[in-house]
Amino acid sequence: MEYNFRDIENNWRKFWAENKTFKVTEDTSKPKYYVLDMFPYPSGAGLHVGHPLGYIASDIYARYKRLQGFNVLHPMGYDSFGLPAEQYAIQTGLHPKITTSINIDGCLDVNGKIKSQFVNIDGSIKEEALIDKSISCTIKDENYQDNIIKGYRNQLDKIGFSYDWDREVRTSSPEYYKWTQWIFKQLFDCYYDNTSNKAERISKLVEAFEVNGNAEVNAVSDCETTFSAAEWKSFDARKKEEILQEYRLAYLADSWVNWCPALGTVLANDEVVNGVSERGGHPVEQKLMRQWSMRIKAYAERLLTGLETVDWTDSIKDQQRNWIGKSQGCSLFFPLWSGNEGEDNGSTATEALEGAIEVFTTRPDTVYGVSFMVLAPEHPFVDQITTAEYAEGVANYKKEASLKSERDRQADVKNITGQFTGAFAIHPFTGEKVQIWIGDYVLASYGTGAVMAVPCGDQRDYDFAKHFNLEIKNIFADVDISEAAYTEKDAIIANSDFLNGLDAKTAMKKAIEAIEAKGLGKGKTNYRLRDAVFSRQRYWGEPFPVYFENELPKLVNDDQLPIRLPEVYKYLPTEAGEPPLARATKEAWKEQFQGDRMDYNTMPGWAGSSWYFLRYMDPKNEAEFVSKEKADYWKQVDLYIGGSEHATGHLLYARFWTKFLFDQGYISFDEPFAKMINQGMILGNSRFAYRLHIGSVGIENLKLPARFIYVSKSYRNEIVNGIKGEYTEKINQLIQSVNGELDFSKITYFVNQVHVNINYVDGETLNIDLAKTDPYHSEFNESIFLNEKDESYLCGSEVEKMSKSKLNVQTPDELVEKFGADTLRMYEMFLGPLEQSKPWDTKGINGVHNFLRKLWRLFNIDEYGQAHVSAEPASKDSLKTLHRTIKKMTDDLDRFSFNTGVSNFMICVNELTDQKCNNKHILHELLIMLSPYAPHICEELWVKLGNEAGTINFASFPKFDESHLVEANIAYPVSFNGKMRLKIELPTAFTPKEVEEAVLSNADAQKYLEGKTPKKVIVVPGKIVNIVL
RNA sequence: GCUCGGAUGGUGGAAUUGGUAGACACGCCGGACUUAAAAUCCUGUGCCUGUAUGGGCGUGCGGGUUCAAGUCCCGCUCCGAGUACCA
């Protein structure tokens, strides 16, 4: 009987679902293992072959761990709040709740217009969706020509993942976001205590204020004023809350935010890429707005040191380190010089630090190299220190700088600009006057917004000094700075009074000591990491569990959670520019409405994904976000697989929340993901057609034979290379046929490449099959195609990121249909190392499919479906093959080398086929090993061997027995001067000396010796013999 | 610019601690079966050279260490990812 993968896979999929084979509970008799995938955002485009890559790898590993006797938690869910569903809602009026559900659960597409009926995985109708029929909308999804939108769940199920679906979470379900809101409440109610070095309750802070004011409080805060206990008590509620907001871990503050007008919302720093929004590429500007923020800066140091305890790639760790951006140095005050130009006011450095300019430097050792100062144009001191003479210049410069967007400023790095203020500061050590400039290379938002310029040691200061002809002092011994600054830290300090003769490290220490002794500043650590803006002016996100009374934020009580997303008629901001939730009437909030108004913001996408791995442990708990008991059983995620693009977003925020929940004692670990692997991107193979464009000079009313003309590749090549050959001639003829005689010297041709759906193009010949193209694709309908000589239309191709817009998406569904899920699983693994990005190409898939058929044939299955295997003891050769495979499989799985795992199986089955092995014991063990990779076929064959259905998933992974690999003889490779020449069969038991003697006396080896005596003979027992002549 | 990866046949890739470079698969060449094609099976396949046993060359480039280098060290080239005036 042939291998009928369709029936086999359907049956087993059903079996697993009906028997809940992969349902898991907290079983203390077994060691636990937690394998997690980054959950997907369910977009309307569906899964493409890139998505399952990581899921397949993690599933193989989860199944492997089960066979090793672990109790494996392997869940899946959906990150289902987010922008695309909302934008779609804005366009169509369809509630994001409905589109989200459609994208996950699937539905029928009625008349290509409204998808109004949800369907179950088997295609039966589940329920009528609540769609307002008066809303006119059209949903078109080019990926599905038939009427069924499959949905993520159905697509995932087809691949045979061993998820415990009873634990599914959706971040947009009220049962889930209830706890996202609850965690927010805890953050609101905590501050970060630097002494205990953890988050503490606000009540503790208030107690401290009531006893001592804030002088004794050592906490992370934006509060710059000090107050006594008496003052605190005298403050009114508003004032008190304002101060507390400066301590809370979740707080409201006016902050400069990345405002994206096109999306009508603020974006986090990691959602802005090159000055435009990550989603949609819209421009982003800076705007001051009252926003919720998360005081992630409080955790900067722990986020940094925690990296040392996790097993992640260096690249991801580096990205996080750079993002946190720790730099150590000190602050230093430069007093202002208050005399008139040309005279010395005689004040000394330590006098009057009032109004002094504070700088932050990482190189206090170079303080004697300071020859001027530069302030950011936005620095608050600029206006007060600027002299009348320079007022106009400074005003102009400030205006220019403010008009430049962040992006322009970045693009303009090479242009050196600046302006002297006319003011001077006093060098705190030498007492010399130094000029104060403003320049936009100094950023207001980093450090203190002011720098002490040391041109000899900093390239930017150097360039600035050269450009404006400012003094450059060399404070390094034996270093040439005539061309560039010397930025290494290995020079000896000179011309620097008490620092002379010291190396940089010692000098830094001494300089900071001196600065602190004189009261001019102190040692300080700065972080680049900024607090994270936590509110979005969107509809489709978690509402805040917050209401306002007299514009004071108040938390709603726990028993009122979740605050449900109210219904609105329109998903756009209000005319007054308020978020969409401002459209919700009091009635829409139902009984949840409190105070003067509810908070109109919603939480950002990363809120729900910052803790979802905890919810999987206890997904149905209505009393807690996760019970302590279950969290203590499952603990950290042991293996996390996902893309590296979340390095500075999700992965940082999830670590932050985990540390916070740890501080508050809810969980007993403070890093969420013990080990992480980042799967590479799967690239698509795009196809292009070449659209001809015609330009002409002085020819009026040039007629075209069709709306568009598409030329084949040969035509394109002539046009692009500027050749006027036979193809150009053909185009000329075509144009002439509709225009009559023309002066072709006045006509120019050029081509534009246009993405063509890869399904229209033959993968091998790259010929377009026009019969396959969408008949409603008006562009092709109204076009003329100029073909090759053989009448085919030859496309261009290019490897680029797989995406719907590039029309190069391959869905797993078509491959599962054609080859089966087991083939797809093994093929995706066979493509190459998991971490590497690779182009998608189905050329090799036959090889993997053939492997499974070859495996099937080993079982001699007759027409009645009976396997015919031998129960006799296995042959020595077969045992050797089996145990070599066990060894390699264990090694490869332990180092996550899934691609070599597949080839191990191929070698094994090839050898067993050559041996004509149909031994039951061997096949039994092989099936267990293979079942993580190809679960369906292994289940089927497992039963055919007489085992109970489903038990293969919890069988024992075969144990390696080295004795089967021991051979009496070994073929020693013999090399001469490192060049391998021949192999000599020798007993394994030979000592190196015996090997040497045997080799030297061997007749074949003597041929290469040419009668000479070898200078040296190296014998590596069991490995190689090398003879040096 | 800085940081982190990477470069191996016609293609995807293998070689885990320095020890037979090219496993496995695709593709291709030849053969079997077939009226024929598809499918399947068998053989060969790094390059150059030779009828052949064989010989020479070979892991981006140039050096080095070593009995032995794809692997280690030094200096480059190119490609990818991240980041970017962070004082």
Side-chain angles (χ1 to χ4, degrees):
Chain A
M1 196 171 88
E2 274 296 294
Y3 166 43
N4 182 345
F5 60 86
R6 274 190 201 96
D7 290 349
I8 292 170
E9 293 186 357
N10 281 333
N11 290 342
W12 286 105
R13 204 152 48 227
K14 220 169 134 199
F15 178 91
W16 295 329
E18 281 169 3
N19 293 278
K20 292 195 186 286
T21 306
F22 302 109
K23 187 174 171 58
V24 68
T25 52
E26 295 70 35
D27 176 354
T28 47
S29 70
K30 285 186 187 174
K32 69 95 194 186
Y33 200 89
Y34 188 176
V35 183
L36 182 64
D37 294 302
M38 286 185 184
F39 62 169
Y41 174 81
S43 79
L47 284 179
H48 63 63
V49 291
H51 293 109
L53 182 72
Y55 302 161
I56 293 169
S58 65
D59 194 60
I60 289 171
Y61 203 75
R63 287 173 178 270
Y64 170 59
K65 280 291 174 187
R66 267 185 218 114
L67 297 175
Q68 285 191 322
F70 286 86
N71 192 32
V72 176
L73 176 57
H74 187 39
M76 182 46 96
Y78 306 96
D79 188 12
S80 48
F81 269 137
L83 266 174
E86 177 161 343
Q87 301 234 274
Y88 198 71
I90 291 168
Q91 289 162 23
T92 64
L94 258 192
H95 198 292
K97 184 167 69 187
I98 293 169
T99 44
T100 300
S101 182
I102 288 170
N103 290 342
I104 296 173
D105 302 316
C107 79
L108 282 181
D109 180 347
V110 179
N111 304 328
K113 292 278 185 196
I114 301 176
K115 301 164 182 173
S116 62
Q117 287 162 315
F118 291 80
V119 291
N120 292 312
I121 286 151
D122 62 4
S124 63
I125 291 167
K126 189 156 56 179
E127 60 171 280
E128 293 274 329
L130 301 168
I131 291 183
D132 182 348
K133 302 278 191 204
S134 65
I135 299 172
S136 152
C137 65
T138 305
I139 299 173
K140 256 198 164 175
D141 198 327
E142 286 156 40
N143 284 323
Y144 302 108
Q145 268 90 19
D146 52 349
N147 280 352
I148 296 171
I149 305 301
K150 287 168 181 148
Y152 270 52
R153 175 60 194 275
N154 192 346
Q155 286 188 295
L156 289 171
D157 276 339
K158 284 242 162 131
I159 304 172
F161 295 123
S162 62
Y163 296 127
D164 176 0
W165 281 108
D166 287 353
R167 289 173 183 264
E168 181 198 286
V169 300
R170 298 182 186 191
T171 56
S172 62
S173 79
E175 295 74 33
Y176 182 87
Y177 69 67
K178 171 183 177 178
W179 296 107
T180 312
Q181 292 172 341
W182 180 84
I183 294 171
F184 170 84
K185 283 187 63 183
Q186 312 311 308
L187 285 154
F188 180 89
D189 196 39
C190 286
Y191 73 103
Y192 199 88
D193 191 302
N194 279 331
T195 307
S196 63
N197 202 22
K198 63 181 189 124
E200 305 268 11
R201 288 287 157 179
I202 283 285
S203 56
K204 203 183 149 191
L205 186 69
V206 173
E207 267 170 47
F209 287 170
E210 283 170 354
V211 178
N212 284 319
N214 70 345
E216 304 287 308
V217 169
N218 181 18
V220 178
S221 167
D222 293 323
C223 183
E224 281 165 0
T225 55
T226 53
F227 50 83
S228 67
E231 282 173 303
W232 170 257
K233 285 174 190 158
S234 72
F235 294 151
D236 62 10
R238 173 181 303 276
K239 177 76 178 166
K240 280 182 177 165
E241 182 54 40
E242 264 170 29
I243 289 169
L244 290 178
Q245 290 287 341
E246 294 178 318
Y247 287 86
R248 296 183 187 280
L249 289 179
Y251 63 97
L252 267 178
D254 287 322
S255 45
W256 287 101
V257 293
N258 304 303
W259 174 252
C260 180
L263 295 173
T265 190
V266 303
L267 298 170
N269 284 338
D270 65 276
E271 291 168 322
V272 181
V273 177
N274 294 327
V276 299
S277 67
E278 190 190 15
R279 273 190 193 278
H282 306 291
V284 171
E285 55 192 49
Q286 299 299 301
K287 195 175 171 184
L288 197 63
M289 287 179 77
R290 193 151 186 84
Q291 294 289 310
W292 286 106
S293 287
M294 286 283 166
R295 211 174 292 285
I296 189 172
K297 266 179 99 161
Y299 283 87
E301 186 61 31
R302 281 169 65 190
L303 288 169
L304 207 52
T305 52
L307 287 174
E308 282 155 36
T309 68
V310 294
D311 182 6
W312 296 7
T313 61
D314 287 341
S315 137
I316 294 272
K317 287 190 187 185
D318 270 345
Q319 281 182 54
Q320 291 215 347
R321 284 192 194 105
N322 291 337
W323 194 258
I324 296 167
K326 181 181 184 176
S327 53
Q328 278 172 301
C330 71
S331 67
L332 178 56
F333 283 91
F334 281 69
L336 284 172
W337 179 78
S338 53
N340 294 315
E341 177 99 44
E343 62 182 64
D344 195 322
N345 70 347
S347 70
T348 64
T350 46
E351 257 175 54
L353 285 182
E354 192 78 16
I357 295 168
E358 186 187 10
V359 302
F360 172 76
T361 178
T362 55
R363 296 294 304 274
D365 55 316
T366 64
V367 69
Y368 282 88
V370 174
S371 50
F372 57 98
M373 294 182 74
V374 187
L375 309 188
E378 302 89 351
H379 196 282
F381 285 11
V382 173
D383 288 336
Q384 29 180 348
I385 63 169
T386 302
T387 61
E389 191 186 340
Y390 292 94
E392 202 190 330
V394 166
N396 286 341
Y397 185 77
K398 278 181 69 172
K399 199 174 165 194
E400 249 171 64
S402 72
L403 287 176
K404 273 196 234 170
S405 71
E406 188 97 339
R407 209 182 179 190
D408 294 337
R409 243 163 108 158
Q410 277 171 20
D412 226 20
V413 173
K414 274 167 219 111
N415 269 334
I416 297 159
T417 61
Q419 169 67 43
F420 181 44
T421 61
F424 292 85
I426 300 161
H427 191 291
F429 283 94
T430 64
E432 282 171 21
K433 275 165 62 184
V434 295
Q435 298 186 351
I436 304 175
W437 285 66
I438 58 173
D440 68 3
Y441 81 96
V442 179
L443 305 177
S445 54
Y446 184 78
T448 62
V451 299
M452 58 176 220
V454 184
C456 67
D458 184 292
Q459 193 57 43
R460 293 155 307 168
D461 296 346
Y462 186 91
D463 294 339
F464 196 85
K466 281 269 172 191
H467 190 261
F468 292 108
N469 243 330
L470 298 164
E471 187 189 358
I472 300 176
K473 289 186 188 170
N474 191 355
I475 49 125
F476 299 120
D478 308 316
V479 167
D480 174 25
I481 54 155
S482 58
E483 292 294 322
Y486 189 75
T487 55
E488 304 296 315
K489 289 182 188 163
D490 54 7
I492 299 297
I493 307 292
N495 304 323
S496 297
D497 192 29
F498 68 99
L499 300 174
N500 283 342
L502 300 176
D503 60 85
K505 210 178 153 196
T506 320
M508 270 187 228
K509 224 178 119 208
K510 280 227 156 177
I512 293 175
E513 278 167 19
I515 288 164
E516 287 181 348
K518 288 187 166 195
L520 289 165
K522 55 180 175 184
K524 203 174 167 184
T525 303
N526 244 342
Y527 298 93
R528 199 181 78 115
L529 184 71
R530 313 282 160 84
D531 281 349
V533 177
F534 195 65
S535 34
R536 299 288 183 272
Q537 291 67 49
R538 309 295 307 189
Y539 177 74
W540 192 231
E542 299 88 347
F544 281 82
V546 172
Y547 62 93
F548 287 86
E549 240 168 33
N550 297 321
E551 284 307 301
L552 279 185
K554 297 262 169 74
L555 295 181
V556 305
N557 287 331
D558 282 359
D559 58 14
Q560 289 170 332
L561 296 182
I563 295 298
R564 286 166 190 272
L565 201 48
E567 298 301 325
V568 293
Y569 291 106
K570 224 175 172 183
Y571 304 102
L572 286 169
T574 66
E575 284 66 34
E578 287 186 298
L581 287 196
R583 291 180 182 275
T585 57
K586 204 167 173 176
E587 291 67 43
W589 288 99
K590 301 193 177 129
E591 69 278 10
Q592 300 196 306
F593 190 90
Q594 285 179 70
D596 305 328
R597 66 170 179 93
M598 303 297 286
D599 196 311
Y600 297 148
N601 293 298
T602 53
M603 299 185 195
W606 55 268
S609 61
S610 292
W611 71 282
Y612 74 112
F613 50 93
L614 297 171
R615 189 62 180 172
Y616 283 135
M617 298 173 182
D618 197 3
K620 306 247 157 65
N621 194 333
E622 288 177 17
E624 296 163 286
F625 74 101
V626 57
S627 77
K628 187 81 188 355
E629 191 196 350
K630 292 189 175 173
D632 280 349
Y633 178 77
W634 293 114
K635 296 200 187 74
Q636 284 173 298
V637 173
D638 295 284
L639 176 65
Y640 195 30
I641 297 188
S644 57
E645 66 273 20
H646 300 104
T648 53
H650 160 61
L651 290 170
L652 202 59
Y653 299 129
R655 294 181 61 219
F656 162 40
W657 281 31
T658 301
K659 286 178 191 301
F660 168 73
L661 293 167
F662 168 79
D663 284 358
Q664 286 297 306
Y666 296 115
I667 52 176
S668 52
F669 47 92
D670 79 337
E671 281 291 342
F673 315 119
K675 177 175 178 66
M676 183 167 53
I677 296 177
N678 307 110
Q679 91 265 23
M681 211 172 17
I682 292 223
L683 305 169
N685 219 327
S686 300
R687 306 292 183 224
F688 297 100
Y690 302 103
R691 197 192 280 164
L692 184 73
H693 292 264
I694 301 171
S696 67
V697 184
I699 300 179
E700 308 273 312
N701 303 324
L702 189 68
K703 275 183 271 176
L704 298 180
R707 188 160 162 220
F708 297 109
I709 301 168
Y710 283 94
V711 296
S712 188
K713 201 168 180 178
S714 303
Y715 291 81
R716 182 213 89 125
N717 290 347
E718 273 196 6
I719 293 166
V720 168
N721 297 323
I723 303 164
K724 295 212 159 133
E726 49 178 324
Y727 294 103
T728 313
E729 185 51 39
K730 280 189 189 167
I731 301 174
N732 288 348
Q733 284 168 14
L734 179 69
I735 301 298
Q736 193 156 323
S737 69
V738 290
N739 287 287
E741 278 299 320
L742 282 171
D743 179 359
F744 283 98
S745 67
K746 292 183 173 173
I747 295 179
T748 47
Y749 300 123
F750 45 101
V751 289
N752 231 350
Q753 46 179 35
V754 179
H755 281 101
V756 180
N757 190 321
I758 49 165
N759 297 317
Y760 304 160
V761 181
D762 184 304
E764 266 169 54
T765 62
L766 292 184
N767 289 331
I768 273 197
D769 184 347
L770 285 169
K772 282 187 189 163
T773 60
D774 182 350
Y776 303 107
H777 195 302
S778 56
E779 232 184 80
F780 286 169
N781 249 4
E782 299 165 27
S783 303
I784 285 182
F785 284 77
L786 288 180
N787 295 343
E788 301 290 326
K789 284 175 189 154
D790 64 2
E791 290 307 311
S792 68
Y793 184 93
L794 187 58
C795 286
S797 75
E798 208 170 283
V799 171
E800 48 185 2
K801 192 179 172 174
M802 192 173 278
S803 92
K804 202 184 165 188
S805 64
K806 295 183 165 70
L807 303 178
N808 63 359
V809 168
Q810 287 237 325
T811 68
D813 310 67
E814 35 196 284
L815 291 165
V816 169
E817 188 56 35
K818 202 166 165 198
F819 298 99
D822 286 336
T823 300
L824 175 79
R825 287 169 68 104
M826 293 199 84
Y827 184 60
E828 290 224 12
M829 291 301 99
F830 193 55
L831 282 176
L834 182 59
E835 289 102 324
Q836 202 167 295
S837 48
K838 49 222 157 210
W840 178 256
D841 193 341
T842 51
K843 261 194 288 176
I845 199 165
N846 265 319
V848 173
H849 192 63
N850 284 343
F851 157 76
L852 289 176
R853 303 194 339 161
K854 216 164 163 180
L855 170 82
W856 184 264
R857 276 191 300 249
L858 284 177
F859 289 74
N860 299 318
I861 293 165
D862 64 23
E863 58 202 292
Y864 309 106
Q866 287 293 312
H868 294 277
V869 294
S870 151
E872 303 286 307
S875 74
K876 203 165 158 280
D877 280 351
S878 297
L879 280 168
K880 189 174 164 188
T881 297
L882 175 70
H883 282 270
R884 204 163 45 210
T885 307
I886 295 171
K887 175 94 173 73
K888 286 195 287 188
M889 284 320 302
T890 317
D891 286 357
D892 284 353
L893 280 166
D894 287 344
R895 65 191 175 103
F896 305 97
S897 179
F898 299 100
N899 56 327
T900 52
V902 177
S903 58
N904 292 341
F905 286 123
M906 289 173 168
I907 295 167
C908 178
V909 167
N910 287 347
E911 285 180 7
L912 294 180
T913 302
D914 288 348
Q915 294 159 11
K916 300 198 166 36
C917 171
N918 68 339
N919 181 273
K920 190 174 173 181
H921 165 72
I922 302 276
L923 296 175
H924 180 272
E925 301 287 90
L926 173 61
L927 285 180
I928 297 172
M929 276 196 285
L930 181 63
S931 66
Y933 280 83
H936 308 85
I937 189 175
C938 289
E939 288 268 18
E940 183 77 13
L941 293 169
W942 179 254
V943 171
K944 290 199 189 300
L945 284 187
N947 297 292
E948 194 193 326
T951 54
I952 192 172
N953 298 293
F954 303 96
S956 289
F957 199 87
K959 296 275 172 306
F960 171 60
D961 180 352
E962 191 163 14
S963 67
H964 293 293
L965 301 194
V966 175
E967 292 277 345
N969 289 326
I970 176 172
Y972 270 97
V974 179
S975 52
F976 292 81
N977 292 331
K979 196 104 204 137
M980 216 286 283
R981 292 297 177 184
L982 73 158
K983 287 183 190 170
I984 301 173
E985 186 106 346
L986 294 171
T988 312
F990 264 22
T991 63
K993 192 142 191 278
E994 288 170 318
V995 171
E996 182 176 336
E997 280 164 9
V999 167
L1000 291 180
S1001 59
N1002 180 284
D1004 290 327
Q1006 279 180 346
K1007 222 166 61 188
Y1008 291 96
L1009 281 171
E1010 293 165 344
K1012 285 183 258 181
T1013 315
K1015 283 188 194 132
K1016 203 171 177 183
V1017 178
I1018 285 123
V1019 178
V1020 184
K1023 281 265 164 73
I1024 199 168
V1025 177
N1026 190 18
I1027 295 163
V1028 187
L1029 291 174

